[in-house]
Amino acid sequence: MSGAPSRRGVLAAGLALPAIGALAGCAPDRPRPSGGRGPTRITFWSAIRGSQEVVDAFNAAHDRIQVDFEQIPSGTQGGYAKLSNAARAGNAPDVATLEYPQLPGFAIDGVATDLTGLVSDRTRDLLLPQALERATFDGRIYALPLDIEPMVMHYRRDVFDEHGFEVPRTWEDFADLGRAVRDRLPGSRITVFPTDGGTQFASYACQAGAQWFDTDGDTWTVSLTDAPTRRVAEYWQGLIDDDIVFANSVGGPRYPAQVGDGTVLVRLSGAWDAGAQMSSHPGQKGLWTVAPLPEWEPGAGVLGDHGGSTFTVTRDSRHPEAAMQFIEWQVSHPDAMRARLSAGTSSAFPVVDELVEAGRQALDPEYYGGQDIYGLFAREAVKVRDDWVWGPRMTSTLNLMHDNFARAGAGRGTLLDAMRAAQDGTTPDLRALGLSISEQGG
């Protein structure tokens, strides 16, 4: 985002972190030739579907480096705890997968290391700048991104056409459409406010101009209730209070049923959700279309993102150069993308242009009525703000949000109350890390 504030010392304001060349007290090993002692072996942990297929393809194409893969649970199911425990024991894998919100915390803890000196100029040039910026702190790179997921609007085109509903361009239009859906289609609602969707709420706030976390010198600023966030909270609270949207979890069985029976007409989520929809609801082929997310201000051209993964080399790696070669191949080689997609349908938006075409070719174009959804994702991805900073303990922060979003959805408190509770609960965690904290917001 041109002219946006730079990320100043985000990790430098935390703990001292080891440089990659100093890992394990020794210089990084170069991959050994295939003869003699055999190839360099590295370990890789990931919860991403298709990772085994990627590893198989890499191993088949490389003699000097071989990868041993372990599938781990997703972060919400204990994968991040497993990685933290392994790092404390000194046996973390060479390469680990981290989602964007968790990367700063693992970097502050010293698990994700400074990779700046290992990333080739070619790879830097290939990556979408907004995505690389998500993994860069104080000018240092701590991971390489695989994908970035611009927020978009998936809507039931057949229902819109039948009732003459127009695609909303602004959030004001969206609220007006929601009232029409409520009044004309009893039992249906335009969408769901996800009570377990803290990262979705973050994307709305990001689009509105919020800055939940930032640093100034050696101080972290925490501002989960700044003016843009209050605007977003009050907007969605109004939709809940006026019975314009459902308010429930999207992680349980209720939400898929709402989408499946047509009582929810719009899904607001990252680009990846198109593929998830295709897998979960094959019978709705041809009924959906994807459009840009409504805007807070017409023509603002600003977005937040929802989802996306990165790869880092951990401090326990004895072969960081080999690990980086594997990471660079994963994020930039079309063969890696094709191998990943062989495991099942995905619409995750890759951050390297050449991989976009591989993704496009793997999708059934008729599910979305022949729409070039990857073309739309590409146009939207460049709108993602590059100055958004996730906090050092986002898992805890998001859990606090979810607990209180659920209360607000049940009529006990408000979304703004939930954000205040999240801020009140987050700052002690950050002080426990030894960070200097400044609280802002209203």
Side-chain angles (χ1 to χ4, degrees), residues 62-288:
H62 295 80
D63 294 327
R64 299 179 61 167
I65 304 171
Q66 293 287 282
V67 181
D68 297 318
F69 174 65
E70 181 177 340
Q71 186 85 26
I72 64 171
S74 70
T76 57
Q77 297 173 334
Y80 292 135
K82 180 181 175 70
L83 178 60
S84 294
N85 291 336
R88 280 193 289 269
N91 56 14
D94 293 279
V95 178
T97 303
L98 297 172
E99 295 164 288
Y100 291 109
Q102 280 70 38
L103 177 57
F106 276 99
I108 280 182
D109 291 344
V111 180
T113 52
D114 181 355
L115 308 180
T116 309
L118 293 180
V119 182
S120 69
D121 290 340
R122 174 185 176 277
T123 296
R124 294 190 203 207
D125 291 342
L126 289 174
L127 299 173
L128 183 73
Q130 286 90 337
L132 183 58
E133 195 65 24
R134 283 284 189 274
T136 302
F137 309 101
D138 198 27
R140 313 300 294 176
I141 299 170
Y142 285 84
L144 290 189
L146 172 66
D147 59 320
I148 193 167
E149 307 299 335
M151 278 286 281
V152 291
M153 181 176 68
H154 315 248
Y155 69 94
R156 281 288 296 267
R157 182 182 59 202
D158 59 325
V159 180
F160 274 52
D161 290 347
E162 179 183 353
H163 294 277
F165 295 148
E166 294 187 5
V167 177
R169 305 298 181 187
T170 67
W171 287 111
E172 183 179 358
D173 295 341
F174 187 85
D176 290 340
L177 175 60
R179 294 184 186 95
V181 171
R182 177 198 62 192
D183 296 343
R184 292 169 58 181
L185 298 174
S188 293
R189 294 294 182 270
I190 187 170
T191 196
V192 169
F193 177 83
T195 55
D196 56 350
T199 53
Q200 284 166 277
F201 187 87
S203 73
Y204 302 140
C206 178
Q207 184 193 32
Q211 193 71 43
W212 287 358
F213 297 91
D214 203 353
T215 59
D216 186 4
D218 292 334
T219 300
W220 276 81
T221 299
V222 183
S223 187
L224 300 180
T225 57
D226 61 10
T229 303
R230 294 197 301 273
R231 177 186 185 185
V232 173
E234 290 163 1
Y235 173 84
W236 283 100
Q237 187 66 53
L239 298 189
I240 293 171
D241 291 346
D242 291 343
D243 195 26
I244 293 172
V245 299
F246 295 122
N248 55 256
S249 166
V250 298
R254 183 177 179 185
Y255 179 66
Q258 291 168 322
V259 174
D261 64 17
T263 56
V264 164
L265 305 186
V266 171
R267 305 183 338 266
L268 301 171
S269 50
W272 60 268
D273 193 32
Q277 167 70 19
M278 295 169 71
S279 297
S280 300
H281 301 282
Q284 292 184 339
K285 182 176 181 177
L287 303 184
W288 291 88

